[in-house]
Amino acid sequence: MHRLFAELEPSVTVTEQNLADRVRYILRSNTFDVAELERLRREAVPSSGENAAAEDAAPQMVEQTANVDAAVNTPVVVDSNDDGTVAQELELEHMRSTLEEAIVETRSTPLENRPRLPRIALSKRNRAVVRALNPMLVTYLEASRDLCETDSILFGAALAVCRIIGAKVSTAGRATGQSSAIPAWRRRNEERIAKARALIGRLICFRSGNNRPRIVRTVRMAFAGTNVSLSQPDITQKLTERIDDLKQRIAAWGKRIRRYTERSTRFNQNRLFQSDQKRLYESLERPMVSGTGPAPDQADTVAFWRGLWSEPVNHNEGPWTEVVASQCAGITPMDPVIITPDDVAEAVRRAPNWKSPGLDGLHHYWLKGFMG
């Protein structure tokens, strides 16, 4: 292969290993389908045995591409006994059943329990699967009653595509996303601090004369691997040194957590300053109110707001209101804003494919593929 490439492209310098790596990457990433690779091979290496090679490769090409190409109206070479047509119909029926199962499953699943959709490769095969499911969605979308049902249909279609192409879908749901926001190293440090404080408490108890079996066992474990014995005369000094060492470790771990917290706070404040300065200043001026107190009584809350909104109020309008009304009389009212499907399509087209989704977990890639 390297010799042939050198004959075709003498101006390009490439090693054998680099050439092999590039070929392996193209094949694994499915950049070209089987038919395209065969066409490129015929153009690059014309030979007298080309027809025979094409006939040998035709059944394999049909087997791999006929199932998807039939759904997108792409002409495919099939045998005269219609075996390829039967395979296409079976594959389309499998896609249709997978789509129906995914939509039914998504409709009965809350938003927080939906699986995480993975990022799929932008290959021709995956795009062909999306195009094959697109006409199947027309019936479901036409029967949709509201936006929530439309969203569940699109999510079910995306889930069906992932299952058809064999992409790994996480079944754990997204309800545990809140706990994963804390870094693992911080959780480890917090656990170390808690264990060190518990150990300091038991060492202090033993130093004060508490010789219960559990305390003694803990102290022995604290000095495991050293030459310190609990019966030696300077055990009190060793206990004090051990306690001081644990306190220094706790201070170091705590300082590391505080440094991270301060850095995270500064980062969030800078980002909020760029997007919403008013909200930033309000958060700095108003103290954070925790919701750990008792909940307000329902009857008192209803009585409070009923006293505000149920009684009619007669406002004493000043003369300035007439001046403002006369000045605004000549202003032409703004035309009502009407959002058309073309506006939505244009907004979705410009959005990044794999930007972090919202609560529904649906990326822009699926909106482009199914709505386009």
mmCIF file of all heavy atoms in Angstrom, residues 233-263:
data_model
loop_
_atom_site.group_PDB
_atom_site.id
_atom_site.type_symbol
_atom_site.label_atom_id
_atom_site.label_comp_id
_atom_site.label_asym_id
_atom_site.label_seq_id
_atom_site.Cartn_x
_atom_site.Cartn_y
_atom_site.Cartn_z
ATOM 1 N N PRO A 233 6.308 4.129 78.508
ATOM 2 C CA PRO A 233 6.071 5.269 79.413
ATOM 3 C C PRO A 233 5.745 6.579 78.703
ATOM 4 O O PRO A 233 5.038 7.425 79.270
ATOM 5 C CB PRO A 233 7.393 5.389 80.198
ATOM 6 C CG PRO A 233 8.406 4.670 79.360
ATOM 7 C CD PRO A 233 7.678 3.578 78.650
ATOM 8 N N ASP A 234 6.240 6.800 77.496
ATOM 9 C CA ASP A 234 5.997 8.069 76.810
ATOM 10 C C ASP A 234 4.814 7.992 75.841
ATOM 11 O O ASP A 234 4.768 8.691 74.836
ATOM 12 C CB ASP A 234 7.246 8.501 76.056
ATOM 13 C CG ASP A 234 7.680 7.467 75.015
ATOM 14 O OD1 ASP A 234 7.222 6.305 75.116
ATOM 15 O OD2 ASP A 234 8.448 7.821 74.104
ATOM 16 N N ILE A 235 3.830 7.147 76.160
ATOM 17 C CA ILE A 235 2.689 6.985 75.265
ATOM 18 C C ILE A 235 1.857 8.263 75.204
ATOM 19 O O ILE A 235 1.262 8.597 74.173
ATOM 20 C CB ILE A 235 1.816 5.786 75.721
ATOM 21 C CG1 ILE A 235 0.687 5.531 74.721
ATOM 22 C CG2 ILE A 235 1.289 6.031 77.124
ATOM 23 C CD1 ILE A 235 1.149 5.198 73.348
ATOM 24 N N THR A 236 1.840 9.029 76.313
ATOM 25 C CA THR A 236 1.065 10.286 76.302
ATOM 26 C C THR A 236 1.645 11.274 75.302
ATOM 27 O O THR A 236 0.914 11.955 74.565
ATOM 28 C CB THR A 236 1.060 10.901 77.707
ATOM 29 O OG1 THR A 236 0.523 9.949 78.643
ATOM 30 C CG2 THR A 236 0.209 12.167 77.735
ATOM 31 N N GLN A 237 2.985 11.360 75.252
ATOM 32 C CA GLN A 237 3.619 12.243 74.273
ATOM 33 C C GLN A 237 3.356 11.770 72.853
ATOM 34 O O GLN A 237 3.097 12.588 71.948
ATOM 35 C CB GLN A 237 5.122 12.307 74.548
ATOM 36 C CG GLN A 237 5.873 13.223 73.591
ATOM 37 C CD GLN A 237 7.365 13.222 73.854
ATOM 38 O OE1 GLN A 237 7.838 12.586 74.807
ATOM 39 N NE2 GLN A 237 8.112 13.930 73.024
ATOM 40 N N LYS A 238 3.396 10.455 72.624
ATOM 41 C CA LYS A 238 3.122 9.924 71.290
ATOM 42 C C LYS A 238 1.675 10.220 70.868
ATOM 43 O O LYS A 238 1.407 10.542 69.702
ATOM 44 C CB LYS A 238 3.376 8.415 71.263
ATOM 45 C CG LYS A 238 4.820 8.029 71.538
ATOM 46 C CD LYS A 238 5.734 8.535 70.430
ATOM 47 C CE LYS A 238 7.171 8.078 70.663
ATOM 48 N NZ LYS A 238 8.092 8.603 69.609
ATOM 49 N N LEU A 239 0.742 10.110 71.842
ATOM 50 C CA LEU A 239 -0.649 10.419 71.517
ATOM 51 C C LEU A 239 -0.806 11.893 71.135
ATOM 52 O O LEU A 239 -1.519 12.235 70.194
ATOM 53 C CB LEU A 239 -1.539 10.085 72.714
ATOM 54 C CG LEU A 239 -1.755 8.591 73.014
ATOM 55 C CD1 LEU A 239 -2.476 8.417 74.340
ATOM 56 C CD2 LEU A 239 -2.537 7.929 71.893
ATOM 57 N N THR A 240 -0.110 12.775 71.883
ATOM 58 C CA THR A 240 -0.195 14.205 71.575
ATOM 59 C C THR A 240 0.370 14.510 70.200
ATOM 60 O O THR A 240 -0.195 15.303 69.435
ATOM 61 C CB THR A 240 0.551 15.005 72.649
ATOM 62 O OG1 THR A 240 0.010 14.681 73.945
ATOM 63 C CG2 THR A 240 0.406 16.504 72.413
ATOM 64 N N GLU A 241 1.480 13.884 69.849
ATOM 65 C CA GLU A 241 2.068 14.097 68.530
ATOM 66 C C GLU A 241 1.145 13.590 67.426
ATOM 67 O O GLU A 241 0.999 14.237 66.377
ATOM 68 C CB GLU A 241 3.426 13.393 68.455
ATOM 69 C CG GLU A 241 4.490 13.980 69.372
ATOM 70 C CD GLU A 241 5.776 13.183 69.324
ATOM 71 O OE1 GLU A 241 5.779 12.126 68.628
ATOM 72 O OE2 GLU A 241 6.764 13.598 69.958
ATOM 73 N N ARG A 242 0.534 12.440 67.683
ATOM 74 C CA ARG A 242 -0.374 11.888 66.685
ATOM 75 C C ARG A 242 -1.601 12.785 66.495
ATOM 76 O O ARG A 242 -2.060 13.025 65.370
ATOM 77 C CB ARG A 242 -0.819 10.485 67.110
ATOM 78 C CG ARG A 242 -1.744 9.796 66.130
ATOM 79 C CD ARG A 242 -1.099 9.581 64.786
ATOM 80 N NE ARG A 242 -1.941 8.786 63.904
ATOM 81 C CZ ARG A 242 -1.784 8.687 62.607
ATOM 82 N NH1 ARG A 242 -0.802 9.380 62.010
ATOM 83 N NH2 ARG A 242 -2.577 7.938 61.906
ATOM 84 N N ILE A 243 -2.128 13.327 67.585
ATOM 85 C CA ILE A 243 -3.281 14.224 67.501
ATOM 86 C C ILE A 243 -2.918 15.498 66.750
ATOM 87 O O ILE A 243 -3.682 15.983 65.903
ATOM 88 C CB ILE A 243 -3.804 14.527 68.915
ATOM 89 C CG1 ILE A 243 -4.420 13.271 69.536
ATOM 90 C CG2 ILE A 243 -4.827 15.652 68.889
ATOM 91 C CD1 ILE A 243 -4.813 13.432 70.994
ATOM 92 N N ASP A 244 -1.720 16.062 67.052
ATOM 93 C CA ASP A 244 -1.284 17.272 66.338
ATOM 94 C C ASP A 244 -1.107 17.005 64.846
ATOM 95 O O ASP A 244 -1.448 17.851 64.006
ATOM 96 C CB ASP A 244 0.024 17.787 66.938
ATOM 97 C CG ASP A 244 -0.164 18.318 68.342
ATOM 98 O OD1 ASP A 244 -1.315 18.619 68.698
ATOM 99 O OD2 ASP A 244 0.839 18.409 69.079
ATOM 100 N N ASP A 245 -0.569 15.834 64.501
ATOM 101 C CA ASP A 245 -0.394 15.493 63.088
ATOM 102 C C ASP A 245 -1.744 15.407 62.378
ATOM 103 O O ASP A 245 -1.907 15.915 61.250
ATOM 104 C CB ASP A 245 0.360 14.171 62.974
ATOM 105 C CG ASP A 245 0.522 13.738 61.529
ATOM 106 O OD1 ASP A 245 1.266 14.403 60.790
ATOM 107 O OD2 ASP A 245 -0.100 12.717 61.129
ATOM 108 N N LEU A 246 -2.743 14.794 63.032
ATOM 109 C CA LEU A 246 -4.075 14.701 62.424
ATOM 110 C C LEU A 246 -4.710 16.078 62.282
ATOM 111 O O LEU A 246 -5.379 16.364 61.280
ATOM 112 C CB LEU A 246 -4.963 13.786 63.269
ATOM 113 C CG LEU A 246 -4.597 12.291 63.261
ATOM 114 C CD1 LEU A 246 -5.468 11.524 64.247
ATOM 115 C CD2 LEU A 246 -4.763 11.701 61.866
ATOM 116 N N LYS A 247 -4.509 16.964 63.267
ATOM 117 C CA LYS A 247 -5.072 18.315 63.170
ATOM 118 C C LYS A 247 -4.439 19.091 62.013
ATOM 119 O O LYS A 247 -5.133 19.852 61.315
ATOM 120 C CB LYS A 247 -4.856 19.062 64.484
ATOM 121 C CG LYS A 247 -5.728 18.554 65.633
ATOM 122 C CD LYS A 247 -5.497 19.367 66.890
ATOM 123 C CE LYS A 247 -6.405 18.881 68.028
ATOM 124 N NZ LYS A 247 -6.189 19.650 69.286
ATOM 125 N N GLN A 248 -3.157 18.912 61.794
ATOM 126 C CA GLN A 248 -2.509 19.587 60.677
ATOM 127 C C GLN A 248 -3.034 19.065 59.334
ATOM 128 O O GLN A 248 -3.216 19.831 58.375
ATOM 129 C CB GLN A 248 -0.995 19.407 60.756
ATOM 130 C CG GLN A 248 -0.350 20.135 61.931
ATOM 131 C CD GLN A 248 1.132 19.876 62.036
ATOM 132 O OE1 GLN A 248 1.733 19.307 61.126
ATOM 133 N NE2 GLN A 248 1.733 20.290 63.146
ATOM 134 N N ARG A 249 -3.256 17.765 59.269
ATOM 135 C CA ARG A 249 -3.827 17.209 58.034
ATOM 136 C C ARG A 249 -5.231 17.741 57.783
ATOM 137 O O ARG A 249 -5.589 18.084 56.639
ATOM 138 C CB ARG A 249 -3.853 15.682 58.116
ATOM 139 C CG ARG A 249 -2.476 15.042 58.120
ATOM 140 C CD ARG A 249 -2.594 13.539 57.986
ATOM 141 N NE ARG A 249 -1.282 12.901 57.967
ATOM 142 C CZ ARG A 249 -1.090 11.605 57.751
ATOM 143 N NH1 ARG A 249 -2.144 10.818 57.538
ATOM 144 N NH2 ARG A 249 0.121 11.103 57.741
ATOM 145 N N ILE A 250 -6.035 17.832 58.841
ATOM 146 C CA ILE A 250 -7.387 18.372 58.687
ATOM 147 C C ILE A 250 -7.331 19.813 58.203
ATOM 148 O O ILE A 250 -8.114 20.240 57.329
ATOM 149 C CB ILE A 250 -8.156 18.260 60.020
ATOM 150 C CG1 ILE A 250 -8.459 16.788 60.331
ATOM 151 C CG2 ILE A 250 -9.445 19.067 59.967
ATOM 152 C CD1 ILE A 250 -9.118 16.574 61.680
ATOM 153 N N ALA A 251 -6.385 20.596 58.754
ATOM 154 C CA ALA A 251 -6.257 21.991 58.319
ATOM 155 C C ALA A 251 -5.855 22.072 56.853
ATOM 156 O O ALA A 251 -6.359 22.921 56.101
ATOM 157 C CB ALA A 251 -5.234 22.704 59.198
ATOM 158 N N ALA A 252 -4.942 21.190 56.409
ATOM 159 C CA ALA A 252 -4.522 21.203 55.005
ATOM 160 C C ALA A 252 -5.667 20.811 54.079
ATOM 161 O O ALA A 252 -5.898 21.451 53.032
ATOM 162 C CB ALA A 252 -3.334 20.258 54.809
ATOM 163 N N TRP A 253 -6.423 19.774 54.434
ATOM 164 C CA TRP A 253 -7.560 19.356 53.613
ATOM 165 C C TRP A 253 -8.639 20.438 53.571
ATOM 166 O O TRP A 253 -9.221 20.721 52.519
ATOM 167 C CB TRP A 253 -8.146 18.052 54.147
ATOM 168 C CG TRP A 253 -7.227 16.886 53.980
ATOM 169 C CD1 TRP A 253 -6.312 16.696 52.991
ATOM 170 C CD2 TRP A 253 -7.124 15.738 54.832
ATOM 171 N NE1 TRP A 253 -5.641 15.508 53.165
ATOM 172 C CE2 TRP A 253 -6.122 14.886 54.289
ATOM 173 C CE3 TRP A 253 -7.754 15.331 56.003
ATOM 174 C CZ2 TRP A 253 -5.757 13.684 54.873
ATOM 175 C CZ3 TRP A 253 -7.402 14.125 56.590
ATOM 176 C CH2 TRP A 253 -6.411 13.309 56.028
ATOM 177 N N GLY A 254 -8.912 21.044 54.736
ATOM 178 C CA GLY A 254 -9.914 22.109 54.772
ATOM 179 C C GLY A 254 -9.505 23.324 53.958
ATOM 180 O O GLY A 254 -10.338 23.946 53.291
ATOM 181 N N LYS A 255 -8.208 23.676 54.014
ATOM 182 C CA LYS A 255 -7.727 24.807 53.223
ATOM 183 C C LYS A 255 -7.853 24.521 51.739
ATOM 184 O O LYS A 255 -8.189 25.416 50.942
ATOM 185 C CB LYS A 255 -6.280 25.105 53.582
ATOM 186 C CG LYS A 255 -5.735 26.367 52.928
ATOM 187 C CD LYS A 255 -4.327 26.667 53.394
ATOM 188 C CE LYS A 255 -3.802 27.952 52.742
ATOM 189 N NZ LYS A 255 -2.418 28.273 53.189
ATOM 190 N N ARG A 256 -7.605 23.293 51.352
ATOM 191 C CA ARG A 256 -7.758 22.938 49.938
ATOM 192 C C ARG A 256 -9.212 23.078 49.490
ATOM 193 O O ARG A 256 -9.503 23.598 48.404
ATOM 194 C CB ARG A 256 -7.284 21.500 49.722
ATOM 195 C CG ARG A 256 -7.243 21.073 48.274
ATOM 196 C CD ARG A 256 -6.749 19.647 48.153
ATOM 197 N NE ARG A 256 -5.436 19.472 48.768
ATOM 198 C CZ ARG A 256 -4.839 18.292 48.902
ATOM 199 N NH1 ARG A 256 -5.440 17.197 48.470
ATOM 200 N NH2 ARG A 256 -3.656 18.202 49.476
ATOM 201 N N ILE A 257 -10.158 22.658 50.334
ATOM 202 C CA ILE A 257 -11.577 22.782 49.989
ATOM 203 C C ILE A 257 -11.991 24.245 49.951
ATOM 204 O O ILE A 257 -12.735 24.679 49.049
ATOM 205 C CB ILE A 257 -12.434 21.988 50.999
ATOM 206 C CG1 ILE A 257 -12.159 20.477 50.858
ATOM 207 C CG2 ILE A 257 -13.910 22.274 50.795
ATOM 208 C CD1 ILE A 257 -12.893 19.626 51.873
ATOM 209 N N ARG A 258 -11.520 25.056 50.930
ATOM 210 C CA ARG A 258 -11.870 26.481 50.926
ATOM 211 C C ARG A 258 -11.312 27.189 49.702
ATOM 212 O O ARG A 258 -11.973 28.057 49.108
ATOM 213 C CB ARG A 258 -11.351 27.137 52.205
ATOM 214 C CG ARG A 258 -12.146 26.795 53.457
ATOM 215 C CD ARG A 258 -11.764 27.725 54.600
ATOM 216 N NE ARG A 258 -10.355 27.619 54.930
ATOM 217 C CZ ARG A 258 -9.842 26.753 55.798
ATOM 218 N NH1 ARG A 258 -10.649 25.896 56.421
ATOM 219 N NH2 ARG A 258 -8.550 26.727 56.047
ATOM 220 N N ARG A 259 -10.078 26.840 49.310
ATOM 221 C CA ARG A 259 -9.478 27.460 48.138
ATOM 222 C C ARG A 259 -10.283 27.135 46.887
ATOM 223 O O ARG A 259 -10.511 28.006 46.031
ATOM 224 C CB ARG A 259 -8.032 26.992 47.993
ATOM 225 C CG ARG A 259 -7.282 27.716 46.883
ATOM 226 C CD ARG A 259 -5.796 27.432 46.971
ATOM 227 N NE ARG A 259 -5.505 26.026 46.804
ATOM 228 C CZ ARG A 259 -5.007 25.243 47.773
ATOM 229 N NH1 ARG A 259 -4.767 25.759 48.969
ATOM 230 N NH2 ARG A 259 -4.756 23.970 47.559
ATOM 231 N N TYR A 260 -10.750 25.904 46.776
ATOM 232 C CA TYR A 260 -11.572 25.529 45.621
ATOM 233 C C TYR A 260 -12.913 26.261 45.653
ATOM 234 O O TYR A 260 -13.397 26.747 44.627
ATOM 235 C CB TYR A 260 -11.799 24.019 45.618
ATOM 236 C CG TYR A 260 -12.896 23.575 44.672
ATOM 237 C CD1 TYR A 260 -12.672 23.479 43.306
ATOM 238 C CD2 TYR A 260 -14.174 23.281 45.153
ATOM 239 C CE1 TYR A 260 -13.671 23.084 42.443
ATOM 240 C CE2 TYR A 260 -15.187 22.893 44.302
ATOM 241 C CZ TYR A 260 -14.928 22.794 42.946
ATOM 242 O OH TYR A 260 -15.927 22.410 42.091
ATOM 243 N N THR A 261 -13.519 26.364 46.846
ATOM 244 C CA THR A 261 -14.818 27.032 46.959
ATOM 245 C C THR A 261 -14.710 28.505 46.589
ATOM 246 O O THR A 261 -15.568 29.055 45.881
ATOM 247 C CB THR A 261 -15.361 26.875 48.385
ATOM 248 O OG1 THR A 261 -15.423 25.480 48.728
ATOM 249 C CG2 THR A 261 -16.753 27.478 48.501
ATOM 250 N N GLU A 262 -13.652 29.167 47.064
ATOM 251 C CA GLU A 262 -13.465 30.578 46.721
ATOM 252 C C GLU A 262 -13.239 30.761 45.223
ATOM 253 O O GLU A 262 -13.780 31.690 44.612
ATOM 254 C CB GLU A 262 -12.280 31.142 47.502
ATOM 255 C CG GLU A 262 -12.522 31.220 49.004
ATOM 256 C CD GLU A 262 -11.280 31.638 49.755
ATOM 257 O OE1 GLU A 262 -10.222 31.828 49.093
ATOM 258 O OE2 GLU A 262 -11.338 31.791 50.995
ATOM 259 N N ARG A 263 -12.457 29.886 44.635
ATOM 260 C CA ARG A 263 -12.210 29.990 43.197
ATOM 261 C C ARG A 263 -13.501 29.755 42.417
ATOM 262 O O ARG A 263 -13.800 30.473 41.451
ATOM 263 C CB ARG A 263 -11.150 28.967 42.790
ATOM 264 C CG ARG A 263 -10.748 29.071 41.309
ATOM 265 C CD ARG A 263 -11.482 28.075 40.479
ATOM 266 N NE ARG A 263 -11.227 28.271 39.063
ATOM 267 C CZ ARG A 263 -11.973 27.762 38.099
ATOM 268 N NH1 ARG A 263 -13.037 27.058 38.396
ATOM 269 N NH2 ARG A 263 -11.673 27.976 36.837
#
